[in-house]
Amino acid sequence: MSGAPAVRRPYYRRMGRWWQRDPFFRRYMWREATALAVLAYALVLTLGIVCLALGEAAWQVWLAALRSPASLALHAALLAAMVLHTKTWFEIMPKTMPMIFVGERRLAATTITRCGWAAAAIATLALLALAAGWRP
Amino acid sequence: MPEPARAAARSITLEVLRYRPEIEAAPVWQSYVVPFSEDLSVLQALQHVKDELDGSLSFRWSCRMAICGSCGMMIDGRPRLACQTFLRELLPGPVRLEALAHWPIQRDLVIDASGFIAGLERIKPYLIPRQPRPLAAGEYRQSPHELELFEPYSACINCLLCYAACPQFGLDPGFTGPGLLALLHRYNADSRDGGRAQRMAAVNAEHGVWSCTAVGYCSEVCPKAVDPAHAVNQNKVNSAIDYLRHLLAPRGAPP
Amino acid sequence: MSSGTSPPARSHAPIFWLLFGAGGMLSALFGPALVFITGIAAPLGIVIPHDLLSYPRVLALSQHWAGKSLLFVIVALFAWHAAHRLLHSLHDLGLRIGPATRLLCYGSASLLTLVSAAGLLALGF
């Protein structure tokens, strides 16, 4: 090298609110936020278990709390978040699983996602049917 | 873009994020107006700027045909190859061009990729034979199935678009990142290779696969359909198996 | 990309990731139906029988070993799934992952696991 040394002063950009940069990132952040709903529901169930263990009076308090408009609104939001979780969980599943081969053909990503959604639909219907009193 | 508007476009504005360390403390936007034509790529538009308007503009390029991996940059906010992106897709403009996200800017559209080069050495991206094999033993034979296990990951051109698409690399430059982990997997998944045990430490580390949160954008932007997100996440399974095996048989663990 | 000659330390993430994955799968399959049944259908008295969440029925469920394990697995895995994802979300929001953030996330999951286990054990068999 000859002449004046080149100025090397790399510039580091900040991440800032990086998730606002791209719609893909915004969808990712909504996907990750569904964990708040899963945590909230685990908390609701834990409180239910505690109330059940405390006796019938406490259990009735828990049931009454579930009937409150605030709880119904919360659970409507939790339901929406859970559905988003189910949708996105199986959308990313082809990336998180090893390659699957049926015979010599590699299973397509869309097939894996659709199988997951179908399994979730069957599980939902089965659980609803069991709750509604149907017995196999 | 409706046809009349496209036909009417005679010029298009490029907004380029410039950084000249001897002049600016921080990058600044600069606009150039370039003549528009249907078959003009972003790279050709930049070459027009450098040849006709401003010779001080710096950018990397080589092959002009999406195989050398040199001309990756943020084009309207998305990591893309400048040679593979045509101005007609970006009408009416202005087209915003910026150095690849998450990397230090060396100068204008040129990034400092020395971290990636150092990482390349660490992951041992070459076949490590199980035992020494003389030439006389002939070629290795592989079934189509064995080929399919690694072939998708062998198409990487080291263009670093996946790194510019990975917020985890942006948040923590220590993360090995999608490109290197996909390349690592390309060799681990090859039936001719026996070097898996030597590469597992890089996989098992916090800065190995475990910094990944499966955003998945790396696979979206890859110009060669390498699917780095799949490579990284398959290795979470492999690393978890390796972890449990190590936990159950810490000393006599098979490689 | 960190450099250095000695091999990098093994991460303990696999334990938490396995719990995250199990809880994620369980909640993806059954989460929507569970939330609908306990949070919407039962309080409003729609779709399901009126006495589904009555004290004797739920008590009987939680005293049976199968029902007890099922409830425990649901609560614990949901909690560990959420804790692991939220820990990464804190990192996404720009927080440095350290002992404090780990304690907040995994501590919450441990608390829910312990409280639900204690409640279910107290209910007897």
Side-chain angles (χ1 to χ4, degrees):
Chain A
M1 288 285 279
S2 61
V7 179
R8 270 181 179 256
R9 192 161 48 82
Y11 184 84
Y12 295 82
R13 288 162 285 180
R14 294 179 162 275
M15 285 300 275
R17 293 171 182 263
W18 59 269
W19 54 89
Q20 294 175 345
R21 212 163 64 198
D22 197 293
F24 200 97
F25 292 151
R26 276 197 289 276
R27 286 197 295 276
Y28 161 76
M29 289 305 257
W30 280 111
R31 181 191 95 185
E32 297 299 287
T34 60
L36 286 170
V38 178
L39 184 68
Y41 189 61
L43 182 64
V44 168
L45 290 185
T46 305
L47 292 175
I49 289 170
V50 169
C51 287
L52 190 70
L54 290 175
E56 182 157 12
W59 179 251
Q60 294 306 333
V61 172
W62 190 72
L63 283 185
L66 282 184
R67 280 190 293 269
S68 70
S71 167
L72 286 168
L74 172 75
H75 279 86
L78 292 187
L79 179 61
M82 279 289 187
V83 170
L84 180 64
H85 168 59
T86 301
K87 177 179 180 285
T88 54
W89 184 260
F90 293 114
E91 274 171 350
I92 198 70
M93 201 166 72
K95 301 262 183 265
T96 57
M97 286 172 55
M99 289 181 182
I100 303 172
F101 290 87
V102 177
E104 300 209 331
R105 280 247 176 121
R106 190 175 151 196
L107 211 58
T110 48
T111 311
I112 296 172
T113 298
R114 285 185 191 139
C115 286
W117 286 341
I122 292 166
T124 301
L125 287 176
L127 210 56
L128 286 175
L130 280 173
W134 174 81
R135 292 291 173 268
Chain B
M1 195 72 198
E3 284 308 312
R6 186 186 271 195
R10 282 289 164 265
S11 66
I12 189 164
T13 303
L14 306 183
E15 288 179 356
V16 184
L17 191 69
R18 305 229 34 203
Y19 175 60
R20 290 152 294 182
E22 71 281 5
I23 298 175
E24 291 123 347
V28 292
W29 290 98
Q30 186 170 347
S31 293
Y32 301 99
V33 179
V34 297
F36 172 85
S37 72
E38 280 286 318
D39 56 357
L40 205 65
S41 68
V42 171
L43 177 62
Q44 286 171 301
L46 285 169
Q47 287 169 327
H48 176 86
V49 172
K50 192 163 176 79
D51 291 348
E52 309 289 337
L53 305 175
D54 183 351
S56 75
L57 182 66
S58 298
F59 53 95
R60 285 195 178 113
W61 65 280
S62 177
C63 76
R64 302 161 287 119
M65 45 195 275
I67 197 63
C68 75
S70 305
C71 66
M73 58 187 69
M74 305 303 285
I75 300 178
D76 282 346
R78 189 185 159 101
R80 303 179 76 168
L81 296 179
C83 66
Q84 210 183 19
T85 309
F86 287 83
L87 289 177
R88 60 173 186 261
E89 305 164 30
L90 308 166
L91 288 174
V95 177
R96 281 172 88 84
L97 304 176
E98 182 180 336
L100 278 180
H102 308 152
W103 293 98
I105 304 180
Q106 190 78 268
R107 181 177 203 90
D108 295 341
L109 298 170
V110 176
I111 54 157
D112 175 7
S114 43
F116 179 81
I117 305 301
L120 265 178
E121 278 182 46
R122 277 204 323 278
I123 60 155
K124 302 182 194 294
Y126 38 83
L127 286 178
I128 300 173
R130 280 167 219 284
Q131 57 264 131
R133 190 179 162 95
L135 265 182
E139 73 273 26
Y140 286 95
R141 295 179 71 91
Q142 271 185 327
S143 68
H145 174 75
E146 285 169 331
L147 176 69
E148 201 169 351
L149 289 176
F150 75 84
E151 200 268 344
Y153 310 109
S154 67
C156 177
I157 56 172
N158 300 347
C159 67
L160 309 183
L161 298 196
C162 53
Y163 283 82
C166 176
Q168 301 309 336
F169 175 66
L171 290 163
D172 182 358
F175 176 33
T176 306
L180 287 176
L181 288 167
L183 194 58
L184 182 154
H185 182 67
R186 176 254 171 274
Y187 289 95
N188 272 1
D190 192 321
S191 63
R192 296 167 294 181
D193 182 80
R196 187 191 178 99
Q198 296 179 46
R199 298 190 195 97
M200 269 329 264
V203 171
N204 294 335
E206 196 64 43
H207 277 157
V209 293
W210 298 109
S211 290
C212 167
T213 56
V215 179
Y217 199 32
C218 52
S219 295
E220 289 287 313
V221 304
C222 178
K224 294 289 159 190
V226 168
D227 203 352
H230 194 204
V232 175
N233 284 281
Q234 283 181 85
N235 279 297
K236 286 184 188 166
V237 179
N238 294 341
S239 180
I241 293 168
D242 194 73
Y243 183 90
L244 295 176
R245 197 180 274 169
H246 184 78
L247 208 65
L248 297 174
R251 258 167 261 281
Chain C
M1 281 162 278
S2 52
S3 54
T5 43
S6 61
R10 182 187 281 277
S11 167
H12 293 290
I15 299 175
F16 302 105
W17 178 76
L18 287 168
L19 289 168
F20 159 81
M25 185 57 85
L26 199 65
S27 50
L29 289 173
F30 299 105
L34 282 170
V35 170
F36 177 73
I37 291 168
T38 68
I40 293 171
L44 291 178
I46 53 171
V47 184
I48 60 165
H50 193 65
D51 66 335
L52 186 81
L53 291 190
S54 70
Y55 183 69
R57 283 194 70 164
V58 181
L59 189 67
L61 175 76
S62 62
Q63 285 182 331
H64 190 277
W65 65 268
K68 200 186 285 290
S69 335
L70 208 62
L71 284 170
F72 176 71
V73 165
I74 289 171
V75 172
L77 286 183
F78 276 34
W80 284 97
H81 164 79
H84 186 67
R85 200 166 233 188
L86 290 173
L87 181 66
H88 282 293
S89 293
L90 292 179
H91 183 251
D92 289 343
L93 293 175
L95 268 76
R96 197 172 285 278
I97 300 294
T101 44
R102 283 206 172 84
L103 188 69
L104 177 71
C105 292
Y106 296 145
S108 306
S110 310
L111 192 69
L112 288 183
T113 306
L114 289 174
V115 169
S116 61
L120 286 167
L121 286 175
L123 281 160
F125 288 84

